[in-house]
Amino acid sequence: MWLKPEEILLKNAFKLWVTEKDNDYFVLQRRRGYGEGGGGLTGLLVGTLDTVLDSTSKVAPYRILHHTPDSQVYWSIACGVTKEEIGQHWDWLQQNIMRTLSVFDSTEDVTSFVQGKIRGLIAEEGKSSLVLEDDPEKFREALLRFEKWFELPPQEKLVTYYSCSYWRGKVPCQGWLYLSTNFLCFYSYFLGSEVKLIISWDEIWRLEKTSNVILTESIHVLAHGDDHYFSMLLHLSETFVIMEQLASYSIKRLFDKEAFQGEPSLCDPLQITKRGLEAHAKSEQFRSFFRLPKEENLLEVHESFLWVPFSHFNTLGKICLSENYICFASQDGSQCHIIIPMREVINVEKPDATSRALTVCVRGKRALRFSEVRDFQRLANTIRSRCGISASPQHSASSEAIRGECQSLINHFEDNPEDVTLMVGQKDNSKAVSTEALMTVFHPQDVENLDPKMLKEKMKEQSWNIHFSEYGRGTSMFFTRKTRDLIVRGVPESLRGELWMLFSGAVNDMATHPGYYGELVEQSLGTSTLATDEIERDLHRSLPEHPAFQSDTGISALRRVLTAYAYRNPKIGYCQAMNILTSVLLLYAKEEEAFWLLVAVCERMLPDYFNRRIIGALVDQAVFEDLIRENLPQLVEHMTDLSFFSSVSLSWFLTLFISVLPIESAVNVVDCFFYDGIKAILQLGLAVLDYNMEALITCSDDAEAVTILSRFFDSVTNRDSPLPPTVQQASSGSNDKARHVSVDISELIREAYEKYGHFRSEEVESSRRRNKLHVIQTLEDTTKQNVIRVVSQEVQFSGPQLDELYNLFKRQHFLSCYWTMESPALLHHDPSLAYLEQYQLGFQQFSELFSLLEPWAFCPSRSTLSLWVFRLIDENQDGLVNFKEFCSALDILYGGSFTNKLKFLFKLHLPPAFDLPEDGVIRKSPERGRGKVDLQAYLKQWQNEILKKEETIKDLPRINQAQFIQFSKTLYNIFHGDPEEESLYRAVAHVTSLLLRMEEVGRRLQEPSSPRAGSTASVEASLTEEETSDASSSPSSQDGAARQPEVDWSFSFEQVLASLLNEPVIVGFFERPVHIQGKLGQARVAQLRLKANK
């Protein structure tokens, strides 16, 4: 590797280098302790220095220095890991540089030329992805160390590296931590003791920052049941964040099969960089905070002041710019933020260059003034270009009126702050849909009704109207503390749908996708999938007590929304609890709005909640347990096992308390959820447990605790609800309220915010990331146990052996996904499949793993034979093999009887394994994702599997000439390298000759007038030639058969079996016990190395 020329004053300092070659201008040196001789004690000391110190010398054992004859100054210009690598650099210098140097008159010119040439070579190499790193030169050196020490596949992308200490027990080892796309690696070398650690991100159970008496602060990694601690990091927080990001990236890519489409920094695992990960994390945080669509990315951040009319002062904060939105969030504790869609911007002005200010005018006669923006000129131009606003002179006349209006607005706000009438916004008139909110249809408000509840409802509406007049209304409304206070008090029925759309960000989704929902409805209605069947089953279970869902109007709207979403997102499809949530959304929002609200909940606000494994809900259960430990110590002391609360509260999270609270109370919880996200649900859960603390502490078992909580929820009321009493009673569905003192939902929510509103959303997200690893690995472990339990009933392997096999199989599956997004396992992943089908191998991955575990040394035709095995066990011919099919083949080869092993080999030479084109590609892929599914075909296949009878040797078809010749060659290949190889060869030749003669005799008896004396000789000659040469592939055998079309004979399996049973040496070979345990140990070590060698 060429290095940026650095001056070295002493070429042989401390005798650490040995000169191998030299000439007038260059010296090739070897590091003492490397290469021949080892170096003894000097080698140990040098190796220790090489690990602890950060220098090029510690990286590569070979280097090239440049010098001139009359100077004592040397320049390092190249280094190498191997003698061959440094030799190539030396030869290049001899051929390309040495002749040129003779023309220079002065040594200064020589040195300048050499340095310029080397820098040019480095610049040429730097056109690769290394230029994306902060310091390409140091990163090149680190990459060289990484490749040398860990011998990972060359595709593995190093992301970053840090100096740190790794604790082995109570002893720290100083070394280097390397973080790559798929692995966490550590290397240390101290006085002959080498520590090398390689952990793949998908194997980590826990990743967290910890501290104790010995370690003030460290990073704890739990993997394979072992604890690893890394400390003494100069930038521990930065290191931990990068580790979290890499672990999260691996989980999404390998477990969730996410392809990161539309994210250039993450879509290619070979090009992952630290900068790309940081940008992705910032964009995620940006989208989460402002509730923006997933297509938005954080492009620019500018610190500035925003003039806030309702407070009459400038608030400090940051302007965040994405492709389609301008967002601002305060940083002075005022909790003020605003979202401005680019589509709403009509002009951008720079009224005062001295104050570095710009004014953004939006529809609805509103203007926002940002001041003290460092790069306000560029920001204004960026916003103009994204909004399609021209600042050129020729357009000045047409925009003069708009500019004057904007300036008058600003002047008016400054001169008359008490006048807020101009701040009244206009509601966004989105495209109308065919239905209204169901609540307006089934419970229209009586304007003339003046009972206390309706009066209080009117007061709420008036409070919100005043709020709109001060803070704006619609997409460009200011979000402040006062907004949250109004939410806690309760949202009026008439504004609930509008505010849900605004707070969730669904209003932006709908505005940017006009007509999308209608198209989905047209495309999805009439389709028949597993999701649509489940939807039909659950339609009448969705709020059945509510009049809206006792009619065809509500049921049809619910069907359309759920079916359209299942069609839009087949990865989720339909999950139970979605029907309950969607029913409530339809009560207060129009049908199209309810659809976009569902999109916001499922894809942004509650990620991974609505799928088969409900990982998101389980992660939030773990977060909830952590919060219980921190905030309710009395409860923890009494109930040490908090898993009870996880099981009880699961429905709280999945349905946002809708399934446990009366509907008129549950909607208040939904109000808070759309404003504060999952934080609101966590707070309320803590408040519920706190309210019932005394009763829960005294309960004797879990059943009693469940009863206490159930009665509590039945007693929760909404005293301010204007809904008719019939609906409230139906939704409560309980006669036990008298036993409990009623609790008002508004008071319960207010108490939740007052007692538990102190933790921030960022803390919740951090806890989510920390717990997600453990939740996923626990689910993976459960899946493994279920698979092993099923497979163990059909194979003879022990439990520990199946455990090892499963780990190898799963790792092979992941190896196929580590360095590409195009592996068959990823392209054909179907999350709706059973756990047995979750991990599957394509032919290439199967062949690599099978070569590590096969019991015999299939020498020349290994790849061909593994292809036949793959085709044979791939029963549904989808080009993928699951764990059960894989184990069934190994079980026969390792533990089967002589007859079963021979039958397996015999079937390898019959269709479909033998005579198909050798491409290994998927021939028939099952229908996945959206579209019609033939349920009758699934049921028929399931019935056939149940009724499938045991295959007997009489069921096997006869084997023809070409197949028999290849069968004999396969036996030769299996016996290759065996101590009794010669005897086995002779036995196979004898059996082959005997079978052919028997066939010839039978033909002569049947057809005495047509002797075929040449056929036996030709086949025997073909097999004899095979004994002394490499095995040929099946096509050549078939070509040989084609040259003799007159030969038409075949053998049954019974004939082959009877002939081979007469050869004791062959019977002994197949009945010789072969233990898989040794192969498993070798495969663990060789699996990754095999990939690296390839």
Side-chain angles (χ1 to χ4, degrees):
M1 182 179 73
W2 299 109
L3 302 175
K4 182 180 178 181
E6 290 185 357
E7 186 177 332
I8 297 176
L9 296 178
L10 297 174
K11 73 168 184 177
N12 203 20
F14 307 112
K15 303 291 183 182
L16 298 180
W17 292 90
V18 178
T19 298
E20 297 271 310
K21 298 178 182 179
D22 65 348
N23 55 40
D24 290 342
Y25 296 105
F26 301 103
V27 179
L28 191 156
Q29 293 183 330
R30 171 177 56 84
R31 186 76 163 167
R32 194 179 295 277
Y34 292 91
E36 299 177 0
L41 180 59
T42 305
L44 290 178
L45 292 172
V46 171
T48 301
L49 287 172
D50 286 352
T51 304
V52 175
L53 300 179
D54 184 16
S55 65
T56 305
S57 63
K58 84 174 183 49
V59 181
Y62 298 94
R63 72 178 181 181
I64 296 176
L65 306 179
H66 163 66
H67 74 107
T68 53
D70 57 351
S71 174
Q72 295 298 315
V73 177
Y74 289 75
W75 301 82
S76 63
I77 61 172
C79 66
V81 177
T82 63
K83 196 169 184 178
E84 291 75 16
E85 180 186 358
I86 204 69
Q88 292 176 0
H89 285 22
W90 179 265
D91 293 340
W92 189 90
L93 290 170
Q94 298 298 313
Q95 296 170 11
N96 298 278
I97 299 295
M98 283 299 294
R99 297 177 184 176
T100 308
L101 298 182
S102 60
V103 304
F104 293 102
D105 295 330
S106 66
T107 57
E108 290 80 2
D109 293 341
V110 170
T111 301
S112 297
F113 175 78
V114 171
Q115 290 180 353
K117 193 68 177 176
I118 298 303
R119 288 193 179 97
L121 292 172
I122 293 173
E124 191 67 27
E125 292 179 354
K127 292 179 181 178
S128 67
S129 61
L130 294 179
V131 298
L132 299 176
E133 307 304 329
D134 295 332
D135 189 341
E137 188 61 35
K138 284 190 176 180
F139 194 82
R140 284 158 52 87
E141 298 175 12
L143 180 60
L144 193 60
R145 295 196 297 268
F146 177 71
E147 292 173 347
K148 169 195 167 187
W149 285 338
F150 303 107
E151 299 177 341
L152 294 171
Q155 310 100 301
E156 183 63 16
K157 177 70 170 63
L158 177 64
V159 176
T160 189
Y161 62 100
Y162 301 94
S163 173
C164 72
S165 290
Y166 169 66
W167 290 78
R168 301 180 70 186
K170 297 182 179 179
V171 180
C173 303
Q174 183 63 32
W176 291 88
L177 178 68
Y178 295 87
L179 308 179
S180 66
T181 305
N182 300 295
F183 300 97
L184 178 157
C185 305
F186 177 83
Y187 184 86
S188 173
Y189 184 87
F190 187 76
L191 296 179
S193 176
E194 184 182 54
V195 178
K196 187 185 294 185
L197 186 69
I198 302 177
I199 302 173
S200 59
W201 295 112
D202 55 83
E203 297 170 340
I204 293 179
W205 280 66
R206 192 165 290 280
L207 177 64
E208 58 190 354
K209 285 194 287 188
T210 61
S211 60
N212 53 43
V213 178
I214 300 176
L215 304 176
T216 54
E217 196 171 18
S218 62
I219 296 175
H220 171 220
V221 177
L222 174 63
H224 299 297
D226 298 324
D227 293 296
H228 307 277
Y229 292 90
F230 302 92
S231 67
M232 301 184 189
L233 286 143
L234 187 60
H235 305 287
L236 187 138
S237 295
E238 174 193 314
T239 308
F240 179 72
V241 168
I242 292 294
M243 293 170 73
E244 268 194 334
Q245 291 167 355
L246 285 168
S248 175
Y249 175 67
S250 292
I251 284 175
K252 290 179 180 178
R253 193 163 59 89
L254 301 176
F255 291 102
D256 300 340
K257 303 299 186 292
E258 190 171 325
F260 296 95
Q261 294 177 351
E263 297 190 51
S265 61
L266 298 182
C267 63
D268 185 1
L270 304 182
Q271 299 298 328
I272 299 299
T273 62
K274 178 182 173 183
R275 191 176 303 172
L277 287 169
E278 290 172 346
H280 173 73
K282 288 178 181 177
S283 293
E284 269 196 335
Q285 187 179 6
F286 166 70
R287 288 191 295 264
S288 175
F289 182 83
F290 292 107
R291 308 278 169 78
L292 297 178
K294 61 182 179 180
E295 296 83 11
E296 298 300 311
N297 294 291
L298 181 61
L299 303 178
E300 298 180 20
V301 178
H302 301 266
E303 193 170 89
S304 75
F305 287 90
L306 172 63
W307 171 251
V308 184
F310 51 84
S311 299
H312 317 312
F313 72 89
N314 286 305
T315 180
L316 176 65
K318 289 185 176 180
I319 302 172
C320 301
L321 200 67
S322 70
E323 289 87 348
N324 299 293
Y325 296 89
I326 309 165
C327 304
F328 177 87
S330 65
Q331 294 180 293
D332 56 5
S334 62
Q335 298 181 8
C336 168
H337 71 272
I338 186 170
I339 305 163
I340 310 168
M342 297 280 191
R343 64 181 183 274
E344 298 291 321
V345 177
I346 58 177
N347 200 16
V348 179
E349 287 296 317
K350 296 176 289 184
D352 187 2
T354 58
S355 63
R356 296 180 296 180
L358 66 141
T359 303
V360 178
C361 301
V362 298
R363 302 182 193 280
K365 297 183 179 181
R366 300 194 55 201
L368 302 166
R369 175 166 175 158
F370 300 97
S371 59
E372 298 300 328
V373 184
R374 179 173 299 176
D375 199 356
F376 73 102
Q377 294 272 14
R378 188 170 66 84
L379 177 60
N381 293 334
T382 302
I383 296 174
R384 283 197 188 103
S385 64
R386 292 194 173 277
C387 297
I389 301 170
S390 175
S392 57
Q394 59 266 32
H395 292 85
S396 59
S398 61
S399 61
E400 190 63 36
I402 296 176
R403 290 175 182 158
E405 181 183 358
C406 291
Q407 189 60 46
S408 65
L409 280 171
I410 296 299
N411 295 336
H412 188 85
F413 288 142
E414 293 177 348
D415 298 336
N416 304 287
E418 71 282 355
D419 187 358
V420 295
T421 55
L422 291 177
M423 289 294 295
V424 180
Q426 295 178 353
K427 294 172 64 174
D428 182 29
N429 295 321
S430 304
K431 182 181 178 181
V433 292
S434 58
T435 61
E436 292 293 325
L438 295 180
M439 193 64 76
T440 63
V441 176
F442 288 88
H443 301 293
Q445 291 190 13
D446 187 358
V447 180
E448 298 180 358
N449 186 358
L450 298 178
D451 65 19
K453 290 186 176 181
M454 285 304 301
L455 286 175
K456 196 157 188 178
E457 187 76 3
K458 294 295 181 184
M459 291 174 61
K460 285 183 183 179
E461 290 182 13
Q462 186 63 27
S463 298
W464 276 96
N465 287 328
I466 294 172
H467 184 79
F468 292 148
S469 67
E470 293 180 355
Y471 298 88
R473 186 171 188 172
T475 53
S476 301
M477 186 179 83
F478 283 91
F479 296 82
T480 65
R481 270 203 198 96
K482 191 173 180 181
T483 313
R484 178 182 281 114
D485 292 340
L486 286 174
I487 291 287
V488 172
R489 292 177 200 166
V491 175
E493 300 279 316
S494 60
L495 295 176
R496 187 158 272 137
E498 177 189 343
L499 293 176
W500 285 359
M501 290 289 290
L502 180 63
F503 296 150
S504 65
V507 63
N508 292 315
D509 288 324
M510 191 170 78
T512 53
H513 296 84
Y516 176 79
Y517 174 68
E519 294 173 2
L520 276 185
V521 170
E522 291 179 8
Q523 295 168 7
S524 61
L525 285 183
T527 58
S528 175
T529 64
L530 295 176
T532 56
D533 289 346
E534 292 176 353
I535 290 170
E536 289 297 326
R537 187 177 64 240
D538 288 345
L539 283 176
H540 295 279
R541 303 176 187 173
S542 309
L543 299 186
E545 70 282 350
H546 198 285
F549 298 100
Q550 295 170 358
S551 69
D552 184 62
T553 303
I555 294 295
S556 297
L558 182 61
R559 177 187 293 110
R560 287 192 294 270
V561 172
L562 292 174
T563 305
Y565 185 79
Y567 189 83
R568 163 191 165 88
N569 191 346
K571 186 177 180 181
I572 292 178
Y574 170 77
C575 178
Q576 284 188 343
M578 288 174 67
N579 60 318
I580 298 175
L581 176 61
T582 308
S583 300
V584 175
L585 298 179
L586 282 167
L587 290 178
Y588 293 97
K590 298 177 183 179
E591 186 176 318
E592 184 178 6
E593 293 174 342
F595 169 79
W596 287 113
L597 284 168
L598 184 64
V599 170
V601 172
C602 295
E603 298 177 13
R604 287 201 302 271
M605 302 186 72
L606 295 179
D608 298 325
Y609 260 61
F610 302 100
N611 53 36
R612 285 184 65 251
R613 303 200 295 176
I614 57 171
I615 291 174
L618 296 177
V619 170
D620 284 342
Q621 298 300 295
V623 175
F624 188 50
E625 286 186 23
D626 290 344
L627 291 172
I628 293 174
R629 292 187 184 94
E630 294 174 13
N631 297 278
L632 302 174
Q634 280 183 280
L635 198 59
V636 175
E637 290 176 8
H638 179 73
M639 304 182 72
T640 54
D641 184 12
L642 298 182
S643 60
F644 161 74
F645 293 113
S646 295
S647 58
V648 168
S649 63
L650 183 60
S651 63
W652 306 355
F653 288 81
L654 281 172
T655 64
L656 308 179
F657 284 92
I658 296 171
S659 63
V660 293
L661 285 175
I663 185 64
E664 72 276 3
S665 300
V667 291
N668 285 37
V669 179
V670 179
D671 296 339
C672 299
F673 166 75
F674 277 123
Y675 191 84
D676 276 320
I678 195 62
K679 179 176 177 284
I681 306 300
L682 293 168
Q683 290 172 180
L684 185 60
L686 292 173
V688 168
L689 297 181
D690 189 10
Y691 195 94
N692 294 276
M693 176 83 73
E694 294 182 5
L696 290 172
I697 288 176
T698 57
C699 66
S700 57
D701 55 29
D702 292 350
E704 186 178 349
V706 171
T707 303
I708 290 170
L709 292 174
S710 178
R711 288 176 177 172
F712 169 77
F713 286 127
D714 289 340
S715 70
V716 176
T717 61
N718 188 346
R719 297 168 189 162
D720 300 334
S721 175
L723 291 179
T726 52
V727 176
Q728 295 189 36
Q729 283 183 345
S731 61
S732 303
S734 173
N735 297 321
D736 296 333
K737 284 191 176 184
R739 303 181 187 179
H740 249 286
V741 179
S742 63
V743 181
D744 184 59
I745 187 64
S746 298
E747 294 178 2
L748 186 63
I749 290 174
R750 184 163 53 251
E751 184 178 342
Y753 272 91
E754 289 175 355
K755 283 191 174 182
Y756 307 108
H758 56 273
F759 59 86
R760 299 178 303 155
S761 298
E762 292 81 0
E763 296 172 0
V764 174
E765 291 301 321
S766 177
S767 183
R768 274 178 162 180
R769 290 192 297 269
R770 184 176 65 252
N771 285 288
K772 187 173 183 178
L773 291 170
H774 186 265
V775 167
I776 284 184
Q777 296 293 5
T778 302
L779 289 173
E780 288 293 308
D781 195 58
T782 303
T783 298
K784 178 172 72 172
Q785 299 306 323
N786 290 335
V787 170
I788 290 175
R789 185 175 65 251
V790 171
V791 176
S792 63
Q793 299 173 3
E794 302 188 17
V795 298
Q796 301 177 34
F797 295 127
S798 64
Q801 289 173 342
L802 283 174
D803 189 280
E804 279 288 339
L805 280 170
Y806 185 88
N807 291 336
L808 288 169
F809 189 88
K810 178 180 172 182
R811 193 181 194 193
Q812 190 69 25
H813 168 89
F814 282 162
L815 284 174
S816 71
C817 309
Y818 274 172
W819 301 285
T820 179
M821 293 290 190
E822 304 297 327
S823 68
L826 282 176
L827 295 176
H828 298 273
H829 173 72
D830 186 353
S832 66
L833 293 174
Y835 51 77
L836 194 60
E837 306 282 346
Q838 284 301 302
Y839 295 117
Q840 302 181 91
L841 300 182
F843 167 66
Q844 190 62 40
Q845 292 75 43
F846 168 84
S847 179
E848 292 172 4
L849 184 58
F850 189 72
S851 67
L852 296 174
L853 295 173
E854 59 193 4
W856 307 305
F858 299 122
C859 57
S861 58
R862 173 177 295 176
S863 61
T864 304
L865 196 61
S866 62
L867 176 62
W868 297 339
V869 174
F870 179 80
R871 289 170 173 167
L872 179 63
I873 63 178
D874 181 17
E875 295 181 359
N876 60 355
Q877 295 187 1
D878 64 348
L880 297 169
V881 169
N882 63 35
F883 181 67
K884 181 181 176 182
E885 294 167 338
F886 181 75
C887 286
S888 65
L890 287 181
D891 183 59
I892 294 173
L893 296 179
Y894 276 96
S897 63
F898 171 74
T899 302
N900 287 336
K901 290 178 180 178
L902 192 66
K903 184 168 71 172
F904 185 82
L905 293 174
F906 188 85
K907 289 167 68 176
L908 292 181
H909 300 83
L910 296 171
F914 181 70
D915 61 353
L916 294 176
E918 299 186 13
D919 49 15
V921 299
I922 294 178
R923 297 176 294 282
K924 184 182 72 174
S925 177
E927 188 74 22
R928 301 180 188 272
R930 63 180 67 174
K932 294 186 177 182
V933 176
D934 190 349
L935 299 178
Q936 295 298 326
Y938 274 107
L939 291 173
K940 187 175 181 180
Q941 180 182 354
W942 180 55
Q943 184 180 20
N944 291 338
E945 289 179 359
I946 294 176
L947 300 176
K948 185 169 62 176
K949 62 179 182 179
E950 184 70 24
E951 185 181 55
T952 64
I953 59 176
K954 293 184 178 180
D955 297 327
L956 295 174
R958 297 174 69 86
I959 193 170
N960 63 30
Q961 176 183 352
Q963 295 164 350
F964 179 72
I965 292 174
Q966 190 59 54
F967 174 75
S968 302
K969 292 178 180 180
T970 300
L971 292 178
Y972 284 134
N973 291 328
I974 290 175
F975 301 150
H976 180 74
D978 191 85
E980 300 181 354
E981 181 177 352
E982 290 299 326
S983 300
L984 290 166
Y985 278 5
R986 285 195 296 270
V988 172
H990 180 261
V991 169
T992 303
S993 177
L994 179 63
L995 285 170
L996 291 172
R997 287 191 174 92
M998 288 171 56
E999 177 66 18
E1000 190 68 28
V1001 169
R1003 287 189 171 279
R1004 288 181 178 178
L1005 291 175
Q1006 292 179 7
E1007 303 176 25
S1009 60
S1010 308
R1012 291 183 172 88
S1015 63
T1016 302
S1018 64
V1019 174
E1020 290 182 355
S1022 173
L1023 295 174
T1024 304
E1025 180 183 355
E1026 173 61 25
E1027 294 186 42
T1028 58
S1029 63
D1030 291 338
S1032 59
S1033 60
S1034 57
S1036 65
S1037 303
Q1038 292 168 352
D1039 291 344
R1043 288 192 295 268
Q1044 298 180 8
E1046 73 279 359
V1047 178
D1048 183 21
W1049 47 263
S1050 62
F1051 298 119
S1052 68
F1053 177 72
E1054 293 169 293
Q1055 291 176 298
V1056 176
L1057 175 62
S1059 302
L1060 289 174
L1061 282 172
N1062 290 324
E1063 299 294 334
V1065 65
I1066 294 179
V1067 176
F1069 175 85
F1070 282 108
E1071 291 186 343
R1072 186 190 311 159
V1074 182
H1075 301 290
I1076 196 174
Q1077 199 60 45
K1079 286 280 189 178
L1080 291 174
Q1082 296 171 11
R1084 277 197 307 270
V1085 177
Q1087 193 174 30
L1088 190 58
R1089 189 175 301 165
L1090 178 66
K1091 199 77 178 178
N1093 294 336
K1094 282 182 177 296

